[in-house]
Amino acid sequence: MHERKGAFIHDGKLVLRLNKKVEVPIPKRALDWLNKRFAENPDKKTVRVFERGGKLVAQIILHKKNVVALPNNPLLVVVDLNSSHGIVVHYWDGGLIKTEKYKPPNRSAAWHNVKHLMKLRDVLYNQGCITQQQINKYSAIIRETLSGSMKSWIQQTVDKIVRRVRRIAKRHGKEPLVMIDVPDDESLRGTSLQRTLLSFAKYFENILSWYGIYFEEARLYSTVCPRCGEKLDLKMKTRNLRLMTCKKCGFEEERDKVPLYWALNKLLALKGEAF
Ligand SMILES: [Zn+2]
């Protein structure tokens, strides 16, 4: 982006110098968001322009190079993407500060609309009112309906977690260290939930980099003993609690909290490497 060549933003409009000058109005919300990001001093601002489906698409891409050192005495944030409860976040500063859970939206509202679209499509088709090309358009709308909602959920949830991480770290006077257990569960392979969790991890790491927050990916188990490595057994199960126990060393903890112990082990190992 440049005032005199390429593209720039002026008066709430994106001005593109292609064969001719093209001005694209930017919606107010997007403009507010962009101004906030510009104030955070990106190193590189580029605009990518291309054609997709007969439309001109312009993407504004902001880069920021952050070299982040391992914090000395960090606030530990553990993000578990393998939990059956969705996404579980633990905040730890010598003791557990709090645990938060986020569930991907059930798609019932989107599904309702999709079913309606499918029904309309079939009725029109049976009456011979639409062509194959028009049927394809319905498929595209259906795909869009299902993907859009998940994407905005991921963005909103990541933004919420990153805001919270920065706020809690500030309150505790520490630098945060985020440990992410990337989705790895065999049973999820190839499912839409796995795709959701993987794009969640990617977007999350992107935003953490932007704010210069140190993060590590680590496999944090919930069914392996963090003390001795033995497989944990389920001791007791209620609607809200699954208590795990180790028959070898006697370790006992709620299943959702076990990854936190693995993260603390990993943190000690990291410190061993660093100091
Ligand atoms: Zn054990």
Side-chain angles (χ1 to χ4, degrees):
M1 297 178 85
H2 194 279
E3 290 285 336
R4 284 187 297 280
K5 52 192 181 209
F8 65 101
I9 293 173
H10 178 69
D11 224 1
K13 277 182 233 139
L14 177 67
V15 183
L16 300 170
R17 290 195 184 87
L18 304 169
N19 285 337
K20 54 175 185 176
K21 204 160 143 188
V22 179
E23 294 191 348
V24 189
I26 304 175
K28 170 131 188 359
R29 263 190 55 173
L31 196 62
D32 290 346
W33 185 89
L34 273 171
N35 282 332
K36 269 189 213 155
R37 299 294 88 81
F38 288 148
E40 288 163 351
N41 294 320
D43 298 315
K44 224 167 90 184
K45 298 177 270 188
T46 46
V47 179
R48 205 162 78 167
V49 183
F50 55 94
E51 194 213 312
R52 184 165 59 196
K55 275 186 183 166
L56 189 70
V57 180
Q59 294 177 332
I60 299 174
I61 302 164
L62 308 176
H63 283 274
K64 200 164 157 179
K65 222 178 255 152
N66 274 318
V67 181
V68 196
L70 176 69
N72 190 355
N73 179 21
L75 172 98
L76 179 65
V77 181
V78 179
V79 180
D80 180 10
L81 298 178
N82 279 298
S83 164
S84 52
H85 288 111
I87 292 162
V88 178
V89 187
H90 302 287
Y91 297 87
W92 175 278
D93 183 17
L96 186 63
I97 302 166
K98 64 167 141 186
T99 296
E100 274 167 347
K101 295 176 185 180
Y102 302 88
K103 239 186 169 46
N106 73 23
R107 302 187 172 194
S108 61
W111 270 117
H112 182 79
N113 292 331
V114 164
K115 276 193 199 126
H116 184 62
L117 283 166
M118 287 171 165
K119 200 172 139 197
L120 283 175
R121 179 194 62 191
D122 293 344
V123 168
L124 291 169
Y125 178 73
N126 291 336
Q127 293 175 346
C129 294
I130 51 173
T131 62
Q132 187 59 43
Q133 210 182 357
Q134 286 169 312
I135 289 174
N136 294 344
K137 270 186 191 151
Y138 272 88
S139 309
I141 296 171
I142 287 165
R143 270 199 306 277
E144 195 58 33
T145 307
L146 288 174
S147 74
S149 58
M150 197 50 84
K151 198 170 156 195
S152 61
W153 179 80
I154 289 174
Q155 290 177 349
Q156 282 165 15
T157 310
V158 164
D159 290 349
K160 200 187 288 171
I161 294 172
V162 172
R163 264 204 308 277
R164 205 150 287 178
V165 166
R166 298 174 74 211
R167 200 189 307 137
I168 294 176
K170 199 174 165 198
R171 199 185 302 148
H172 285 246
K174 289 189 163 180
E175 293 292 317
L177 185 158
V178 180
M179 226 171 265
I180 306 163
D181 185 20
V182 287
D184 187 34
D185 199 311
E186 278 284 333
S187 61
L188 283 183
R189 205 141 292 164
T191 63
S192 71
L193 179 60
Q194 191 197 33
R195 277 194 297 279
T196 299
L197 295 174
L198 286 174
S199 45
F200 185 96
K202 199 173 149 206
Y203 185 66
F204 187 44
E205 292 178 357
N206 225 330
I207 302 297
L208 290 174
S209 300
W210 177 269
Y211 285 110
I213 297 174
Y214 189 95
F215 68 87
E216 285 269 344
E217 282 185 5
R219 190 68 192 93
L220 309 169
Y221 306 95
S222 55
T223 56
V224 181
C225 178
R227 276 198 203 140
C228 72
E230 186 77 15
K231 201 175 173 333
L232 293 172
D233 297 318
L234 183 67
K235 187 184 181 185
M236 195 182 85
K237 186 181 173 182
T238 66
R239 209 161 63 91
N240 299 314
L241 180 113
R242 287 167 304 165
L243 192 63
M244 307 300 285
T245 182
C246 175
K247 59 180 176 296
K248 200 169 157 195
C249 75
F251 174 83
E252 216 173 83
E253 187 52 272
E254 197 186 322
R255 188 186 152 122
D256 278 343
K257 295 223 172 81
V258 179
L260 179 60
Y261 290 81
W262 280 99
L264 287 165
N265 285 347
K266 175 88 186 163
L267 181 62
L268 283 176
L270 279 176
K271 280 187 174 175
E273 279 168 32
F275 305 110

